[in-house]
Amino acid sequence: MLSETTLINRVADSDLQTIALDEYLADREIVEFDLKDYLFQGLILREKDFREALRNLDWSVYTGKYLAVYCSTDAIIPMWAYMLISSQANKFARGIYFGTKAETSVAILVDFIETKDWSYLQDKRVVIKGCSDQEIPAAAYLAIAKKLQPYVQSMMYGEPCSTVPIFKRPREMKS
């Protein structure tokens, strides 16, 4: 004889706070700016020609987008070239990063983690979600663990039903 019992979802009823890093990957259009297109004979960057090319570029196409600046060839690019690009794109781009699209995506996520106010997690038990449809870079997990440790009571990785403990603040001794 089966008895009627109520199933209780202890995970849903717990005070665990779940952070899904993939939620912070959305809303980012990244456009690459490859310096190879501005090299003379594919080898060197000539200042006069480069300044003229930047002056004639329609920078408004970068409005609200992240700009990934890099050079896909082995040319030596002077540092002032990156500064010139930044000075022009800064009025339009949402953010300017050095690196490819993939490297910029990682940098944006790490920047977000570093600048977000996580104080709402003070003394909470937190799970950093492990499964995602998108690949989350290791740098993001390093950054979130470092950033949350001063706030949280405990931090775990995985899913609320199956976690790996990462950090637990020691209980204060009562006097």
Side-chain angles (χ1 to χ4, degrees):
M1 173 184 218
L2 293 172
S3 65
E4 275 191 41
T5 58
T6 304
L7 293 176
I8 299 171
N9 185 339
R10 290 187 292 169
V11 171
D13 291 341
S14 74
D15 65 344
L16 281 176
Q17 302 288 313
T18 301
I19 296 177
L21 291 174
D22 60 344
E23 291 176 7
Y24 304 116
L25 289 174
D27 188 30
R28 65 173 61 158
E29 186 175 353
I30 301 170
V31 180
E32 290 183 321
F33 188 104
D34 190 348
L35 281 156
K36 81 166 173 48
D37 301 329
Y38 300 91
L39 298 175
F40 176 71
Q41 296 183 344
L43 298 171
I44 61 170
L45 193 67
R46 293 181 7 185
E47 182 181 356
K48 183 178 179 185
D49 296 340
F50 186 59
R51 283 183 182 274
E52 183 66 26
L54 294 183
R55 215 177 349 267
N56 293 325
L57 193 63
D58 178 12
W59 291 97
S60 67
V61 299
Y62 300 113
T63 300
K65 300 172 184 170
Y66 291 98
L67 190 59
V69 181
Y70 73 107
C71 186
S72 61
T73 68
D74 286 335
I76 297 171
I77 306 297
M79 294 303 130
W80 54 259
Y82 298 107
M83 296 171 71
L84 283 174
I85 293 167
S86 181
S87 70
Q88 295 295 315
N90 194 42
K91 300 172 204 132
F92 301 96
R94 187 172 177 185
I96 305 166
Y97 292 85
F98 174 76
T100 63
K101 197 174 196 175
E103 293 166 336
T104 296
S105 182
V106 172
I108 293 167
L109 181 54
V110 170
D111 279 354
F112 171 80
I113 290 167
E114 290 294 329
T115 58
K116 181 173 173 55
D117 179 9
W118 298 98
S119 63
Y120 72 95
L121 295 172
Q122 187 68 48
D123 298 325
K124 303 278 187 197
R125 295 173 47 229
V126 176
V127 175
I128 309 301
K129 190 173 178 194
C131 294
S132 172
D133 292 336
Q134 301 179 58
E135 184 178 340
I136 305 297
Y141 289 107
L142 286 168
I144 195 76
K146 176 184 171 210
K147 190 69 178 183
L148 294 185
Q149 195 167 342
Y151 297 106
V152 302
Q153 177 61 40
S154 65
M155 185 184 333
M156 296 160 275
Y157 169 83
E159 301 300 317
C161 60
S162 175
T163 60
V164 175
I166 302 298
F167 166 79
K168 187 170 185 173
R169 185 180 307 138
R171 292 183 183 242
E172 295 179 14
M173 298 189 59
K174 294 181 182 180
S175 41

